[in-house]
Amino acid sequence: TNSNFPFLSFLFPPPIQPTLTHFTSHATLLSFKSSPFLSIRIGIADDGRKKMDFDSAKSSLVRLRASANSFLSDVEPLALLLAPLLTLLVARVVQSFLRCVHDNGAKPLIVGFVMSSVKLVPGVKRYIDAEKQKVVDQMQSGTKSKRAGWMSELPKEGLGPVVIEKLKEEKDKDVDWRGKCSGTVYIGGTESEGHFAVINEACSMFAHTNPLHLDVFPSIARFEAEVVAMTASLLGSKETSSEGEICGNMTSGGTESILLAMKTSRDYMKAKKGIRKPEMIIPVSAHSAYDKAAQYFNIKLWRVPVNKEFQADVKAIRRLINRNTILIVGSAPGFPHGVIDPIEELGELASSRGICLHVDLCLGGFVLPFARMLGYPIPSFDFTVEGVTSVSVDVHKYGLAPKGTSVVLYRNHEIRKHQFVAVTEWSGGLYVSPTVAGSRPGSLIAGAWAAMISLGLQGYLENTKAIMEVSKQVQKGVQEIPELFIIGKPDMTIVAFGSDLVDIFEVNDIMTSKGWHLNALQRPNSLHICLTLQHVSIYKDFLVDLKESVNTVKANPGPIKGGLAPIYGAAGKMPDRGMVQDLLVDYMDGTC
């Protein structure tokens, strides 16, 4: 071994020219700390004292050059110039293709390519567009004819106070929502009495206010701060594990709360870890607001399947985490099936990987804390879980506040600061805003404050007990209908059900004809009802109508006239999801 060692003169510049003994001591030390360093540079050095023969290396390069020139002597110069450029182009195309396959999957890519190719055939695109329009017209179900009488310009003479009568006339044309809607209206009773009357008066009293002008309306600033603090107290802000820094703001609804949390997490992770190509991972059961956030804020979105219990699959989420991941998501409960995701496991995962975890509590924020106090077996879901960095909570659902009120909360101020937008170069002055909207309705903030203060802890406990008991009764009633099965194990007040024996969307059409308004779901095809105080007195009517509807479809299968079952069924089976997306966009474009 005395004659087979690295290039000592390269590794150890003068005056260090170690002998074999000297080098051996260095080699022992280096091989312990960095063996790849030695393995890369091993050569021959004649007892560690000879220098590398650079003349020999130079001669080898000259011979290599001559051989290459001889081999390429018959090739056109233009070909030599274009070959690397074409190679780069092909490599770029292959890279783009592989990225598309990786991001979207091979099947959607192939289906999309085939459909695009088919549309190039003369007449095919025109036929497909015509068929799509038929579907859109059916989905709108006469909305266009109603729009014919809508005003399109200001009246020449104003109606004055008589406009209130006009409002009442239009209001009377609305659907009778009392007790027959899934979710939608969470307050019990009618809009002219009880709790409704309290928040209506509160909103009217502060209809002129705007929290943008803190110096003019300090009352609204106080109301917002107290709504946020009271909400945070329900979700762990008083616990030692939450570190006592939970903070947040009121927003216009769950979607804005989620949008702000995603924007804030993106900017926070950019500042913390330098991530410039952000990605987030969510289960398929997570709310569609995350898709909005991905589009608005240029975040790559990965959706993973749920497990057999219809919860977020933590293992699947773990496999997708990479150096660009900024955030993962859990729901408590998820909108489709009312199942709480394993928030503790997600928290451990987020904490170990140094990424954010957002928990969607838009439905559960004003039920789960009280259900836990009442003794229901509720798993951990809030800031007491290590790793949770933000949550969204709708006050206008089970908080029984006026529509358009939600709260977004963060674990600390360091994170929340990335939510704000500050402008210093505007000629209008220095500007800073906490949420998406600049001006906000102080009336809704006052209404939310009034709702929470008027009900108090005892009021929320009583309401939660009532709707949790109704939920158990509805679950039991659905299980007693042999053609139906419940999806997952509902943790709260949402009950989802499907069928292997009847078309569940046809059942939905029959229920609609009876005045019920349920939510149609996909993957698997199913329906759900979100139970509120409106259902406490009539849930038995729901079960009776549901059983009758199932029996009707079983006895007379097939869509009813004007029903949407064929559309829902076809949309669920259609392989080209781009076409389904086009249908939805065209429907919305013709509706609003």
Side-chain angles (χ1 to χ4, degrees), residues 32-51:
F32 175 75
K33 292 186 175 180
S34 183
S35 58
F37 180 73
L38 287 176
S39 65
I40 291 171
R41 292 166 175 78
I42 285 179
I44 298 175
D46 190 14
D47 294 333
R49 288 186 291 271
K50 290 184 179 180
K51 295 183 178 180

Side-chain angles (χ1 to χ4, degrees), residues 22-36:
H22 188 187
F23 175 76
T24 302
S25 66
H26 279 74
T28 302
L29 176 64
L30 290 170
S31 64
F32 175 75
K33 292 186 175 180
S34 183
S35 58

Side-chain angles (χ1 to χ4, degrees), residues 132-192:
K132 284 198 301 184
Q133 190 57 50
K134 290 179 182 177
V135 175
V136 171
D137 290 342
Q138 187 175 353
M139 291 171 67
Q140 291 173 340
S141 300
T143 302
K144 287 186 176 181
S145 61
K146 296 177 183 178
R147 292 174 66 96
W150 292 4
M151 299 180 69
S152 59
E153 58 183 346
L154 283 170
K156 292 182 178 180
E157 296 292 335
L159 296 180
V162 180
V163 73
I164 300 300
E165 296 304 317
K166 181 66 174 175
L167 288 171
K168 290 178 179 179
E169 289 177 15
E170 294 301 319
K171 181 174 176 293
D172 288 340
K173 298 175 184 177
D174 288 342
V175 171
D176 184 6
W177 47 264
R178 296 174 184 83
K180 289 207 166 186
C181 295
S182 173
T184 311
V185 179
Y186 292 78
I187 303 171
T190 65
E191 65 271 34
S192 59

Side-chain angles (χ1 to χ4, degrees), residues 270-339:
K270 181 179 179 181
K272 181 182 178 182
K273 300 176 72 172
I275 296 176
R276 297 184 177 277
K277 294 182 178 180
E279 300 182 8
M280 61 179 173
I281 308 167
I282 68 175
V284 293
S285 55
H287 198 274
S288 55
Y290 297 103
D291 294 81
K292 277 188 177 182
Q295 292 187 37
Y296 289 172
F297 305 130
N298 196 27
I299 303 173
K300 173 62 184 175
L301 178 67
W302 295 98
R303 279 191 178 271
V304 300
V306 291
N307 61 23
K308 293 180 180 179
E309 301 298 325
F310 291 88
Q311 296 175 307
D313 189 331
V314 180
K315 291 182 179 179
I317 291 174
R318 181 183 289 111
R319 286 193 294 268
L320 283 176
I321 293 177
N322 59 46
R323 59 190 177 88
N324 288 322
T325 303
I326 61 168
L327 172 135
I328 57 178
V329 167
S331 304
F335 169 80
H337 313 116
V339 177

Side-chain angles (χ1 to χ4, degrees), residues 32 40 173 232 277 304 306 315 323-324 348 374 382 392 413 415 420 431 435 437 504 513 533 545 549 568 577 582:
F32 175 75
I40 291 171
K173 298 175 184 177
K277 294 182 178 180
V304 300
V306 291
K315 291 182 179 179
R323 59 190 177 88
N324 288 322
E348 291 176 7
L374 291 168
D382 53 19
S392 48
H413 291 271
I415 299 174
F420 304 152
Y431 178 88
T435 60
I504 199 68
S513 70
L533 291 174
D545 286 348
S549 298
Y568 279 115
R577 306 313 291 173
D582 290 343

